[in-house]
Amino acid sequence: MIIDLPDTTTSQVSKKLVTIREEGGAVALGRVLTLVIATAIGAEEEAIEAANEASREHPMRIIVVSTNGAGEQNRLDAEIRVGGDAGASEVIVLRAHGDTARDQQGLVTGLLLPDAPVVTWWPGECPDQRACDTPLGRIAQRRITDSGAADDPVGMLRRLADHYEPGDTDFAWTRLTLWRAQLAAALDQPPYEPITSAEVSGAPDSPSTLLLAAWLRRQLQVPVTVDVADGNPTSGIHRVVLHRATGAVRLERVQPAVAQLSQAGQPTHELSLPRRGLRECLAEELRRLDPDDVYGDVLRSGLDAGV
């Protein structure tokens, strides 16, 4: 069910939520957090769909703050989505036009769940200093960005490193979980020899490639080479090669959802390594609301080390 509230106020939206709960019980209690999604008007639906899917694992209130450029008439249009249109959550869409969009914190404050953590997610471009300079960043325990969705992904990743604050995270890092797990599992097997150097190959616009190289450098304390011109036209990470005395460990994505793991003296294995979508990334990040210290160390020290 979608309830339209054109030319409204946040106070009227809050009263409507209470009415819906009292009349039908659709807006239920028991939410574990509030997810605030900051995006542009017209770009909300993909993020809402991902959040609805993630809400089946993390029941929450979803508040979407959509804004447009200056010059528009000052107005707030809202939607409340419950039931089948909201997954296991409730969705409040606030489309702020003109100067109404300037006070984003004021728009959401009265709609936040009481005594529940707040997570802010920028699905596209985001401000550089989310914790210090943005209203929606200040109210959040966790701040999620996606440098892979930016116009300049690598440039945005380096800006995130310059302005990192505990509680920040990025989907470019979340997409590495399966790669990191497979590489760690491979090194847990014989012959247990130290790694002497590593190579990471990926697309030129893949911030995940840089983060994976930074993580390997931090964990293994060895030189790591990054190749973003390996001739492979696909996006994302292409392969990782870990060199050691008896031969290399090579993990290479050969299909969109399949990778091959090869090691000297052992048969080649095919592994499931699917590309992770927004839903999987968001659900993983919502499982923890404390700062991701490993990400912070990798982002700051790994990139500074020359990756």
Side-chain angles (χ1 to χ4, degrees), residues 54-135:
S55 74
R56 303 185 190 279
E57 181 178 341
H58 310 280
M60 56 187 165
R61 172 173 289 179
I62 300 168
I63 304 174
V64 183
V65 182
S66 302
T67 58
N68 59 4
E72 294 285 335
Q73 181 181 359
N74 301 336
R75 190 178 75 255
L76 176 66
D77 298 328
E79 287 180 6
I80 300 175
R81 304 183 186 185
V82 294
D85 293 294
S89 64
E90 60 204 22
V91 180
I92 304 165
V93 183
L94 305 175
R95 296 186 175 94
H97 304 263
D99 290 341
T100 306
R102 292 182 180 274
D103 184 15
Q104 294 185 2
Q105 184 173 344
L107 290 175
V108 304
T109 298
L111 301 173
L112 300 176
L113 292 174
D115 302 320
V118 177
V119 177
T120 299
W121 172 29
W122 291 267
E125 294 285 350
C126 76
D128 292 337
Q129 293 175 282
R130 300 168 312 289
C132 300
D133 289 350
T134 69

Side-chain angles (χ1 to χ4, degrees), residues 177-237:
T177 299
L178 299 181
W179 283 89
R180 294 166 58 206
Q182 294 291 2
L183 290 169
L187 295 182
D188 280 340
Q189 305 299 317
Y192 308 116
E193 292 180 333
I195 303 299
T196 58
S197 63
E199 302 170 13
V200 180
S201 300
D205 62 348
S206 170
S208 295
T209 300
L210 297 183
L211 285 172
L212 182 56
W215 176 72
L216 288 171
R217 172 175 285 154
R218 177 182 179 274
Q219 295 298 111
L220 301 175
Q221 298 296 305
V222 298
V224 179
T225 302
V226 180
D227 181 5
V228 294
D230 60 358
N232 188 333
T234 60
S235 61
I237 301 168

